[in-house]
């Protein structure tokens, strides 16, 4: 539908050189940054924004906008220049409560300074028009696959005859770093498999990396690779040739079966005579003299700084501004009709855009009867997920090829598989690609569908780069990790997580939830689904755990507060506290029962989420963990790292100090000391230790 | 030089079916495990071991042995069967002090039970003949690239006219999971770039994964991909055809420029009529009835269990046993001559094999003069590395394309680059492939050269899968991470590590070292180089830190004990302790100086390594952190997670609670509270808090 306008020579060139010189000047001013790629790829960014992208600068969250992902995030000044010149407005707070603001010239002049909307790398939720946070290489391209999946899924669900609501395309600009990172291969392979013809990666083939020429470490034939992945591949031999670029984008738009890779041969640091085509142009200011020489080569006033020539703003307004504005206006009008004709679907779209939930979304969540044998929390979680998903139609996800183990499959009628032949399915098959799965899930979340993905907890390691970014971006991705301890048994130490819980808890903003039984699982999902700005790691057992008798012990509603009193002495106050999470809660309960029968007064605290607990007011925290009770034991089948925060220096942690071993569950529990007897003994020792400490202090 | 013996039909088939049935029976007995791949790939494993591999079962650590890496580690029973039938002996303790033992039939019968030498996945250091720990997919193939690099490097350095000491080949068996993981793409791309013709990957193309047919998530053209990576690709259309397999291995041996991929079409669960070619054969026992049917299809006695027919042991002894024995004997004799002719080089080889260091390896390590301006620890580390490396010729490594930033380049004459055209170089260019770099480094370490690799600390996330395995395997890989805090500045939160230190400290066996100044860096390297069974994470600053005046403060020799008293009150005992690491030590010192001038008695503890400190006897630990001093503050520009273990519940941690921001260093330190004033204030508050606590307790 888009027609490619023929650029008028003069203002095109001036606009491109404005982008280049803004990048040069911002990096000079900051005395830090990456000028080379913006200088080389300015024509590509320009052609794409001015003539191709269906994006309205006046409404940067318009749901059907084309997405532009700068995967080579270090080239941030390319994006900031475009955002500024195109006049991208601040985000409408009706769509998004986080603080997206527009890029002013002052922001560009304060590039990389505290508070500037132009930080070193583009940050989602901070700068309007930044579709995702990039910088760690490979993440942006993988996100773009999630966005392209979303476009296809949204179209499949919401487009109706006469209502082509969703047909947006996703463009991602990548460099050699993105190309070399394994996560990109994972994402490219899946995108090819799914035949995402709405996806276009633009590869900046500048042949230079930080260490020197790419040839030091890279000699693969990128075309063969992507053809092997099932992509359409086209080449542009000169980044400065706008008409070749326009043709390449046309090739992309004409392709209906495959994603498209455009390989663009470019010159890093284009126009700077002494550093062009060298790694010196990559990540350092040009220096005053070289900057002048570059400007000279562009026919630019050498001493001008942050110059935006007359007519440039207007030129962008007539290009992307006019085109995007018209398209968006037409869409808004179309959507108004759609609301009348398909009110339920329209309401879904609006709720989704605001990260809200449908009414009654949680009414089918089951309550589980007490059962000493119980069930695995992966199993109860699968049940709860399947009770929620039919009522939240945009909740979708899958597994990195472990669905039969992680039990995250949507099994109800109509859930279906998302495959090239059917974009309506809600079960994604990510393949054995954890890092890709997590980053693609972020792309889904950035598109406002609600994603989950799953693997074994130990393999969260593979996905940390992407998990971290979901936390940094403050997007509600649901990371599901099963087989959560040595309790997974015979697969042995390679598959038994030890340090993963601590490692996830250390990530700012990520909420880790490790429920103790089926009813805590149900409550955990209530917490998770309401989250709008936090990703979550839901950590589940492989093995069955008892479903606790809630008439006897505390209510699972306590999950929402992160930790709660599960059991207390019948008479009088507790002398000792045992804190446990997940499968070890029933172990703590067993120790409690034993000690109670011996007249030892113990409190059991279930702590499914340290992060949620730490957010509670001090009065609540002190009511659960009274400061005067110093005899404290934490029990978790994981690294003890981090637990002394709750038990104190002299407190005890029954945990893991080594890797696990391959053996049946019971043998491992004996070997590593996860038995009621061991826990009870440790509590008794704690009482003695604290008694001795008190005596000492007297 | 190897001739491919023509297999005699009968014993070949019997041997192959022995492998299959041992796998079936072991999984049945364990009621857990993965029978399908051993059943399908038994002929490939057999052909390789019996007729191709230059490996002496009597000496499984013979340095020039061919390596076999089972990257599809879940198919462990394939390997254990081969190890047992080939009669691989326990490792000679002269070579390796860790407990490698041989696989007995009893071990196979107790597959996946505690103490069996046949754990769920193959474990290096536990089972003799296991070259690397596998199971987490993609790791084995990436390790194999490190092994192939080692072979090429060892040949280049040690082979002399008439002495072809090193020419071993590296084989790795991979499945669909290995193929999909991005780490494999990283490793394959680098192997192709380096033209490692001694490397052969065998791809088990069984078209089935856990979720079902591979076609659910995978449709790439593997041949195109690997040709694009610069590999030689050949196919075997029937895994059961030994002559086709033999030809494929011949194709590999004939190739002199490129690594080789052999794509083998196979049938998962071959011979089990109801599950063959389905995911049901992947990861669960066949069940008694199906096991019988499979045995029937092999012409095997249906009720026999763990049957090793007469003649099978002898057959292996005549094949791999005889061939390997002869080759090794010839090598030992050759090496004896070599020792006479090239005694220095021979001594190097022996020292390397025992993970010992040359005499006087450390005499060139500099001492740094005190300097308030100082230098970045990445810079002092680069100096120390270049002082050590000339004296430890088998210390080699590189960076994931960040050498100009991580400063890990070996700059002395002759260090050179390791490239396809010159395998003698010691500087590796890993490309922008962190996960691959770490796993390849493990492969180097398993080959007994001493590897380091480097990236920014935040990108350690990308490599965690491989870092963990270096710890699990207890191999001394040196992971170097620079730009270690928000102090790296303007690149912003995507590049500023927060949770990485805690996450690394949580890995069992990994020693994290974050030195405070140039002299701590020197001492850290002394510790690192002596390690034989621990990997290390050396964590370094981007920015300059003062070189402390050691005549005024404690000696940097304290690094070896993990933590030490750097400064104490001049008069009387300390009232409060401030613990810091890395760049924050000078901050603690500044606070100490300020408080001292006000008569407040503070001790400063430098704690470059929690792990080393925790290993010290209690008397030492109590001397550094006297239990009676409760007023404690930890200072680290990182997540506070984990620090309460040293400061207690009521202790204070000056650390990070959020992600960072893009700004110059000074602005960030002000924003996030890393100033001498803030630290001094926190110490004052601690003294008050602990005073109040004492009053309460009275």
């Amino acid at each position: 539908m888009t027609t490619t306008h023929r650029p008028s020579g003069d203002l095109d060139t001036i606009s491109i050189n404005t982008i280049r010189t803004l990048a040069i000047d911002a990096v000079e001013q900051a005395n830090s940054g990456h000028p080379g790629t913006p200088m080389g790829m300015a024509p590509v960014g320009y052609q794409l924004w001015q003539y191709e992208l269906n994006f309205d600068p006046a409404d940067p969250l318009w749901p059907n906008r084309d997405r532009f992902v700068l995967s080579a995030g270090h080239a941030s000044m390319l994006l900031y220049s475009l955002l500024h010149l195109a006049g991208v407005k601040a985000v409408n707070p009706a769509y998004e409560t986080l603080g997206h603001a527009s890029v002013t010239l002052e922001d560009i002049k304060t590039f990389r300074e505290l508070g500037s909307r132009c930080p070193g790398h583009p940050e989602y939720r901070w700068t309007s028009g930044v579709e995702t946070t990039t910088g760690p290489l490979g993440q942006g391209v993988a996100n773009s696959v999630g966005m392209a999946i979303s476009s296809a899924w949204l179209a499949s669900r919401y487009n109706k005859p006469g209502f082509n609501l969703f047909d947006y395309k996703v463009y991602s600009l990548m460099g050699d770093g993105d190309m070399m990172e394994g996560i990109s291969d994972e994402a490219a392979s899946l995108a090819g498999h799914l035949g995402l013809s709405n996806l276009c990666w633009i590869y900046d083939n500048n042949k230079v990396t930080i260490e020197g020429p790419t040839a030091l470490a890279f000699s693969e034939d990128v075309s063969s690779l992507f053809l092997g992945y099932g992509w359409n591949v086209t080449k542009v031999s000169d980044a400065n040739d706008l008409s070749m670029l326009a043709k390449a984008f046309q090739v992309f738009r004409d392709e209906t079966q495959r994603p498209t890779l455009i390989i663009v041969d470019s010159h890093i640091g284009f126009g700077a005579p002494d550093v062009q085509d060298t790694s010196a142009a990559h990540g350092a200011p040009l220096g005053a003299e070289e900057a002048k020489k570059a400007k000279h080569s562009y026919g630019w006033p050498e001493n001008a700084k942050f110059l935006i020539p007359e007519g440039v703003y207007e030129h962008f307004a007539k290009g992307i501004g006019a085109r995007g504005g018209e398209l968006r206006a037409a869409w808004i009008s179309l959507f108004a009709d759609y609301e009348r004709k398909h009110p339920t679907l329209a309401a879904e779209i609006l709720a989704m855009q605001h990260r809200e939930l449908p009414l009654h979304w949680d009414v089918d969540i089951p309550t589980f009867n007490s059962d000493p044998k119980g069930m695995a929390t992966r199993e109860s979680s699968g049940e709860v997920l399947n009770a929620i998903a039919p009522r939240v139609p945009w909740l979708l996800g899958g597994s990195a090829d472990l669905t039969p183990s992680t039990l995250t499959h949507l099994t109800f009628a109509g859930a279906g598989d998302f495959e090239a032949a059917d974009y309506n399915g809600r079960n994604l098959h990510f393949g054995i690609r954890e890092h890709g799965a997590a980053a693609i899930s972020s792309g889904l979340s950035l598109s406002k569908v609600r994603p989950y993905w799953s693997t074994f907890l130990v393999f969260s390691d593979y996905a940390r780069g992407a998990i971290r970014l979901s936390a940094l971006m403050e997007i509600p991705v649901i990371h599901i990790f099963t087989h959560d301890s040595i309790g997974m048994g015979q697969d042995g130490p390679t598959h038994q997580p030890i340090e993963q819980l601590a490692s996830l808890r250390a990530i700012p903003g990520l909420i880790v939830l490790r429920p103790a039984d089926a009813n805590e699982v149900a409550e955990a999902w209530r917490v998770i689904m309401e989250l709008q700005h936090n990703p979550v790691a839901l950590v589940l057992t492989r093995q069955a755990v008892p479903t606790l008798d809630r008439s006897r012990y505390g209510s699972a509603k306590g999950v929402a507060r992160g930790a709660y009193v599960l059991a207390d002495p019948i008479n009088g106050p507790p002398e000792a506290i045992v804190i446990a999470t997940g499968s070890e809660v029933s172990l703590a309960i067993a120790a409690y029962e034993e000690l109670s029968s011996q007249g030892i007064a113990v409190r059991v605290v279930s702590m499914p989420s340290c992060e949620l607990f730490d957010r509670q007011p001090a009065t609540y925290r002190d009511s659960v963990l009274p400061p005067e009770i110093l005899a404290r034991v934490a029990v978790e089948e994981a690294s003890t790292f981090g637990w002394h925060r709750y038990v104190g220096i002299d407190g005890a942690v029954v945990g893991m100090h080594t890797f696990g071993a391959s053996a049946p569950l019971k043998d491992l529990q004996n070997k590593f000391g996860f038995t009621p007897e061991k826990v009870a003994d440790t509590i008794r020792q704690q009482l003695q230790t604290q008694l001795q400490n008190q005596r000492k202090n007297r």
Side-chain angles (χ1 to χ4, degrees), chain A:
Chain A
M1 171 235 53
T2 317
T3 55
T4 301
H5 308 233
R6 266 308 307 155
S8 76
D10 263 359
L11 268 171
D12 286 338
T13 306
I14 290 171
S15 299
I16 290 165
N17 288 330
T18 304
I19 296 168
R20 286 179 169 135
T21 52
L22 284 176
I24 290 171
D25 290 339
V27 173
E28 284 300 304
Q29 177 86 12
N31 197 25
S32 159
H34 301 77
T37 299
M39 292 162 72
M41 292 299 277
V44 178
Y46 171 76
Q47 173 70 27
L48 178 58
W49 277 66
Q50 178 72 338
Y51 298 111
E52 315 288 342
L53 210 63
N54 292 336
F55 179 94
D56 182 4
D59 183 2
L61 289 188
W62 167 39
N64 196 37
R65 72 194 179 279
D66 285 348
R67 268 63 169 180
F68 173 68
V69 172
L70 182 70
S71 195
H74 55 277
S76 55
M77 270 310 304
L78 174 61
L79 179 56
Y80 299 145
S81 298
L82 287 164
L83 293 175
H84 176 70
L85 296 174
V88 175
K89 298 281 179 296
V91 156
N92 180 345
Y95 274 123
E96 180 61 80
T97 54
L98 294 170
H100 303 251
S102 59
V103 172
T104 65
L105 189 57
E106 189 56 32
D107 287 315
I108 290 177
K109 288 181 181 172
T110 54
F111 177 52
R112 293 183 158 236
E113 288 183 28
L114 201 59
S116 169
R117 296 290 163 173
C118 300
H121 292 81
E123 294 176 30
Y124 178 75
R125 90 205 175 323
W126 179 245
T127 309
S128 186
V130 171
E131 299 284 3
T132 178
T133 297
T134 52
L137 295 170
Q139 300 289 339
V141 285
N143 294 160
S144 77
V145 174
M147 296 174 182
I149 289 173
S150 297
S151 179
W153 184 84
L154 290 166
S156 177
R157 180 169 180 88
Y158 296 107
N159 289 2
K160 297 289 164 197
F163 292 100
N164 207 29
L165 278 188
F166 292 103
D167 61 358
Y168 68 81
K169 299 185 186 304
V170 183
Y171 298 87
S172 184
L173 179 59
M174 69 191 299
D176 294 307
D178 294 296
M179 193 54 87
M180 290 194 224
E181 292 286 1
I183 182 176
S184 312
D185 294 285
E186 295 180 11
S189 179
L190 187 60
H193 173 75
L194 293 173
L196 297 170
S197 63
N198 56 3
L199 178 66
C200 178
W201 288 3
I202 306 155
Y203 170 42
D204 175 17
N205 186 33
N206 64 31
K207 303 192 180 66
V208 169
T209 68
I210 292 174
E211 293 191 1
T214 321
L216 274 175
F218 188 74
S219 48
E220 66 191 43
D221 176 350
V222 168
S223 298
S224 290
L225 235 71
F226 276 73
L227 290 169
Y229 287 138
W231 286 52
N232 176 24
V233 178
T234 185
K235 289 199 185 190
V236 171
S237 60
D238 178 3
N240 289 316
D241 187 331
L242 296 188
S243 69
M244 280 182 72
L245 287 167
K247 277 181 201 155
F249 286 119
Q250 191 61 46
V251 166
F252 160 57
R253 276 194 302 273
D254 290 344
E255 168 65 50
T256 60
Q257 301 292 319
R258 302 172 295 175
T260 296
L261 177 73
I262 304 177
I263 302 174
V264 181
D265 293 346
S266 78
H267 297 280
I268 194 168
F270 177 81
D274 302 330
V275 300
Q276 179 181 314
D277 297 321
T278 75
S279 52
H282 171 85
L286 296 182
E289 279 314 301
E290 186 74 4
K292 281 188 190 174
K293 289 185 195 169
K295 288 177 186 171
H296 178 81
S297 82
Y298 307 145
W300 215 249
E302 290 180 17
N303 291 313
K305 288 198 176 161
F306 300 104
L307 174 66
I308 297 171
E310 217 182 294
V312 169
Y313 290 124
E314 294 75 9
H315 179 63
F316 274 93
K318 287 181 202 158
I320 184 171
R323 185 178 68 256
E326 280 169 32
L327 288 166
R328 175 178 156 267
W331 192 91
I332 295 289
S333 156
L334 186 72
F335 188 74
D337 289 351
Y338 186 85
E339 274 190 293
R340 283 185 287 274
K341 196 140 182 196
H342 303 286
T344 313
L345 291 176
E348 282 186 17
I349 292 170
L350 290 175
M352 196 188 321
Q353 294 302 317
H354 295 86
R355 300 202 186 284
E356 286 166 3
L357 290 165
L359 275 179
H360 313 305
W361 67 272
D362 61 348
V363 296
D364 298 327
I365 294 179
T367 303
F368 296 87
N369 292 331
S370 78
D371 176 1
K373 197 168 155 251
M375 66 204 298
T377 55
R378 62 173 168 152
E379 202 181 335
S380 46
S381 177
E383 276 193 35
V384 174
L385 173 62
N386 272 285
I388 295 171
R391 291 182 172 271
V392 186
W394 55 94
L395 176 62
L396 45 84
S399 169
D401 195 49
L402 285 171
T403 295
S405 296
T406 60
L407 304 179
T408 49
H409 204 67
L410 300 183
T411 53
F412 51 89
D417 280 353
F418 184 93
E419 282 291 350
D422 180 8
Y423 287 149
N424 196 37
R426 290 170 61 186
N427 286 299
L428 294 166
H429 294 278
F430 290 109
I432 302 152
R433 307 178 178 107
E434 296 80 10
H435 204 178
I440 289 168
S441 297
S442 283
L444 294 166
S445 183
L446 291 162
S447 312
K448 304 284 176 81
V449 300
R450 193 74 196 274
Y452 60 86
W453 76 283
S454 66
T455 186
F456 291 170
L457 177 57
V458 78
F459 300 131
S460 64
D461 279 359
Y462 275 46
R464 276 185 75 86
I467 296 169
R468 173 176 224 256
L469 281 168
S470 72
L472 180 54
M473 290 194 276
E474 303 177 6
I475 51 175
V477 176
I478 306 170
H479 308 278
I480 301 179
F481 301 126
T482 69
H483 296 58
D484 71 347
S485 75
I486 56 163
M488 63 98 69
Q490 294 174 287
D491 274 341
T494 54
H495 284 54
Q496 290 163 354
I498 301 293
E499 70 277 25
Q500 283 69 20
L501 275 168
S503 303
L504 292 168
R505 286 176 183 142
I507 299 178
L510 178 70
I511 292 172
V512 180
L513 274 156
R514 187 172 186 243
D517 74 349
N519 286 306
E520 280 201 10
V521 165
E523 294 307 314
W525 273 103
R526 284 184 211 275
V527 170
I528 291 167
M529 290 303 296
E530 300 276 6
L531 292 170
Q532 294 184 310
H533 297 301
N534 292 90
V536 71
L538 178 62
V539 176
L540 303 167
T541 68
R542 170 179 187 257
Q543 74 277 19
V545 292
T547 306
L548 297 173
D549 179 354
R550 296 289 171 170
S551 68
R552 183 176 165 87
Y553 304 116
S555 161
K557 293 278 171 209
V559 168
R561 308 199 79 166
Y564 63 101
V565 178
L566 192 63
D568 246 349
I570 296 166
N571 301 314
E575 304 166 86
I577 303 175
V578 54
I579 310 167
T581 81
S583 48
E584 287 68 73
V585 170
S586 53
L587 197 59
I589 286 283
Y592 157 87
E593 296 289 0
E594 181 190 325
L595 292 170
S596 295
S597 73
Q598 296 162 7
I600 300 174
V602 175
R603 161 175 293 187
V604 180
V605 169
S606 177
M607 190 180 277
S609 174
C610 308
E611 298 78 23
L612 292 178
F613 182 63
D614 292 346
R615 290 178 179 190
Q616 303 304 315
T619 47
Y620 180 76
R621 283 184 280 122
D622 288 351
S623 76
V624 175
L625 300 178
E628 66 277 14
I629 305 179
L630 298 176
R632 298 180 179 194
V633 177
V635 191
E636 191 168 59
E637 281 182 5
S639 167
T640 60
F641 195 86
W643 274 109
H644 288 277
R645 179 179 182 194
Y646 300 106
V647 300
I649 293 176
D650 293 326
V653 188
V654 180
M656 294 291 294
H657 299 274
T658 64
F659 291 106
S662 171
L665 169 61
K666 283 284 166 214
D667 293 340
L668 292 174
Q669 287 172 332
N670 285 326
K671 177 180 167 71
F672 292 110
F674 295 97
T675 60
E677 300 71 39
K678 172 72 189 297
V679 174
D681 279 353
T682 309
I683 295 169
R684 283 190 206 96
Q685 282 164 23
Q686 255 300 290
L687 283 164
Q688 287 192 337
T689 303
Q690 296 300 341
L691 205 64
Q692 283 163 5
N693 282 354
Q694 277 173 33
R695 279 185 197 136
K696 263 192 255 165
N697 292 342
R698 242 174 242 158

